[in-house]
Amino acid sequence: MDKKISDKVINRLTLYHCILTDYIEKNIEYVSSKQLAALLKIDDSQVRKDISVLNNSGKSNVGYIVKELKTSIEKTLGFSKNKKAFIIGAGNLGTALANYDNFQHYGLNILALFDNKKEKIGKTVNNKLILDIEKLPNLSRKSSVDIAILTVPRQYAQQIADFLVAADIKYIWNFTPAVLSVPPDVQVWNENLMGNFLQFTYNI
Amino acid sequence: MDKKISDKVINRLTLYHCILTDYIEKNIEYVSSKQLAALLKIDDSQVRKDISVLNNSGKSNVGYIVKELKTSIEKTLGFSKNKKAFIIGAGNLGTALANYDNFQHYGLNILALFDNKKEKIGKTVNNKLILDIEKLPNLSRKSSVDIAILTVPRQYAQQIADFLVAADIKYIWNFTPAVLSVPPDVQVWNENLMGNFLQFTYNI
């Protein structure tokens, strides 16, 4: 990546991408910044500014060309960079995320799920195996996986995080409502659902 | 709320709240801004600035009093304001969210789940009933529920959103990877998982 794109712009670009995916399914060929802005209830000057960070926006005299704009977002945000990850915890949330086929379009490949419940091990979710958590350190090194998606119950979150760190996992996408203590070379992204909800409902 | 608190501050305050909840379970009485900062890998001046928006921070000469700081965050962010919501879609994600007991501590009360699959209707998840989606308009009005948590498959998202809007739902917490078209008086919060992931992995 040449230029640094802010988190808010990345967020909106992925939302435009969702809209464009939908338009392609509906065989819609062109889209205007006004249409994108109306769906997200933002100003269309903001949309044009966001799109200006892309190398090739697909701008034509009847609007942006849907397919070109979509490809351009994918290139800029690095969807083609294959990122391999494991899901830790094969409960409802882990299963839901494993079923989320959209991830693959964004370059996120879930290779397997891990759990410690014997009755789950060997089963599959969306063609991905549920493996014994004890197998993780060996497999993460063999398969060069350094991203873990953590969906275990809160009370085990830190203990499992320590285990992941010892297995050379460098990025933890944390869906648990626990704040994890990790060494400086490990990054945690807190999927802070309640924080998001409170931002949303703050003025209700 | 008297003063407007920014989204980022709300987000961090909920993370401090997670840490404080954990400290209370461990019978830890005091916490410093340095400790909170270290766990979130941010600067402790940021923590002190965030805490300064609270009315009573629980500051003592040996650090913040954990219980007081926790209560203060709860008051400032309005955790005691009871917000009733329905979950739409009793699949893995809907079930995971219904099982997320943490929501209740933040004032979010899930009253029921809705689905259209006959075999699911009448079952319970975490003591919440799964009801026929057709019953929603009547129940949302009777119970004054205007928040819906949308977890249906992407291809049904817009159709269900239209149905929710017709049932006077005013706030949609959208977990589907679809951008919804809604009237001006309805607010959508997109839980843009891929956007979040890409922000996180942008530099990997």
Side-chain angles (χ1 to χ4, degrees):
Chain A
M1 295 297 319
D2 298 330
K3 29 190 176 181
K4 168 83 185 142
I5 304 181
S6 81
D7 285 354
K8 288 201 169 174
V9 176
I10 293 177
N11 194 295
R12 283 192 298 268
L13 286 172
T14 55
L15 292 175
Y16 306 153
H17 189 267
C18 290
I19 298 170
L20 299 169
T21 303
D22 187 47
Y23 275 26
I24 286 174
E25 280 175 19
K26 290 177 182 156
N27 293 313
I28 299 172
E29 283 182 65
Y30 299 96
V31 64
S32 67
S33 56
K34 279 212 166 86
Q35 284 173 289
L36 293 172
L39 278 167
L40 294 176
K41 293 182 175 176
I42 57 177
D43 201 80
D44 57 312
S45 65
Q46 179 68 66
V47 174
R48 287 193 300 275
K49 204 176 151 194
D50 292 341
I51 288 177
S52 74
V53 307
L54 305 174
N55 285 327
N56 169 17
S57 65
K59 181 101 183 120
S60 78
N61 52 6
V62 285
Y64 300 102
I65 301 163
V66 169
K67 278 185 190 166
E68 286 191 18
L69 183 56
K70 181 168 173 277
T71 305
S72 190
I73 292 174
E74 289 167 2
K75 276 189 189 158
T76 302
L77 296 185
F79 292 6
S80 57
K81 279 197 289 180
N82 190 351
K83 298 164 207 96
K84 291 181 281 187
F86 289 144
I87 291 176
I88 319 303
N92 283 307
L93 184 56
T95 303
L97 295 173
N99 274 309
Y100 201 64
D101 279 328
N102 227 38
F103 280 161
Q104 208 154 6
H105 303 151
Y106 292 77
L108 172 58
N109 290 317
I110 312 284
L111 298 193
L113 297 86
F114 289 87
D115 208 292
N116 64 354
K117 292 216 181 67
K118 299 292 169 210
E119 66 272 21
K120 289 187 179 175
I121 292 159
K123 293 192 175 164
T124 60
V125 179
N126 194 14
N127 295 320
K128 299 165 216 301
L129 268 172
I130 303 175
L131 302 171
D132 189 330
I133 184 82
E134 290 181 10
K135 302 257 164 68
L136 187 141
N138 192 19
L139 279 166
S140 64
R141 286 175 190 127
K142 269 193 188 158
S143 314
S144 313
V145 175
D146 58 5
I147 304 176
I149 302 173
L150 190 64
T151 71
V152 300
R154 183 171 76 90
Q155 61 268 37
Y156 306 118
Q158 182 61 53
Q159 179 192 337
I160 301 284
D162 294 342
F163 176 82
L164 295 173
V165 168
D168 293 339
I169 292 290
K170 295 296 177 206
Y171 303 91
I172 301 176
W173 193 6
N174 178 24
F175 279 84
T176 78
V179 173
L180 307 171
S181 173
V182 297
D185 65 329
V186 175
Q187 286 186 45
V188 176
W189 181 278
N190 290 304
E191 199 60 46
N192 181 3
L193 289 183
M194 277 323 301
N196 297 348
F197 177 73
L198 288 167
Q199 287 164 36
F200 174 41
T201 58
Y202 187 60
N203 296 309
I204 294 184
Chain B
M1 293 300 318
D2 299 327
K3 28 191 178 182
K4 169 79 186 144
I5 303 180
S6 81
D7 285 355
K8 288 201 168 172
V9 176
I10 293 177
N11 195 294
R12 284 192 298 268
L13 286 172
T14 56
L15 293 175
Y16 306 153
H17 189 267
C18 289
I19 297 170
L20 298 169
T21 304
D22 188 45
Y23 276 25
I24 285 174
E25 281 175 17
K26 290 177 181 157
N27 293 314
I28 299 171
E29 283 181 64
Y30 299 96
V31 64
S32 67
S33 55
K34 280 213 166 87
Q35 284 174 289
L36 293 172
L39 279 166
L40 294 175
K41 293 181 175 175
I42 57 177
D43 201 78
D44 57 314
S45 65
Q46 180 68 67
V47 174
R48 286 194 300 275
K49 203 176 152 196
D50 292 341
I51 288 177
S52 73
V53 307
L54 306 173
N55 285 326
N56 170 16
S57 64
K59 181 102 183 118
S60 78
N61 52 8
V62 285
Y64 300 102
I65 301 163
V66 169
K67 278 185 189 165
E68 285 191 20
L69 183 56
K70 180 167 173 275
T71 306
S72 190
I73 293 174
E74 289 167 2
K75 277 189 188 157
T76 303
L77 296 184
F79 291 6
S80 57
K81 279 197 288 179
N82 190 349
K83 298 165 208 95
K84 292 181 281 187
F86 289 144
I87 291 177
I88 319 302
N92 283 308
L93 183 56
T95 302
L97 295 174
N99 274 309
Y100 201 64
D101 280 328
N102 228 38
F103 280 160
Q104 208 154 4
H105 303 152
Y106 292 78
L108 173 58
N109 289 317
I110 312 286
L111 298 192
L113 297 86
F114 289 87
D115 209 292
N116 65 353
K117 291 216 181 69
K118 299 294 169 210
E119 66 272 20
K120 289 187 180 176
I121 291 160
K123 293 193 174 163
T124 60
V125 180
N126 195 14
N127 295 319
K128 300 165 215 302
L129 268 171
I130 303 175
L131 302 171
D132 188 330
I133 185 84
E134 291 182 10
K135 300 258 164 68
L136 186 140
N138 193 18
L139 279 167
S140 65
R141 285 174 193 129
K142 270 194 188 155
S143 315
S144 312
V145 175
D146 57 5
I147 304 175
I149 302 173
L150 191 63
T151 70
V152 301
R154 184 172 75 90
Q155 60 269 38
Y156 305 118
Q158 183 61 52
Q159 178 192 336
I160 300 284
D162 294 341
F163 176 81
L164 295 173
V165 168
D168 293 338
I169 292 289
K170 296 296 177 205
Y171 304 91
I172 300 176
W173 194 6
N174 179 25
F175 279 84
T176 78
V179 173
L180 307 172
S181 173
V182 297
D185 65 330
V186 176
Q187 287 185 45
V188 175
W189 182 278
N190 290 304
E191 198 61 45
N192 181 3
L193 289 182
M194 278 323 301
N196 296 348
F197 178 73
L198 288 167
Q199 288 164 35
F200 175 42
T201 57
Y202 187 62
N203 295 311
I204 296 184

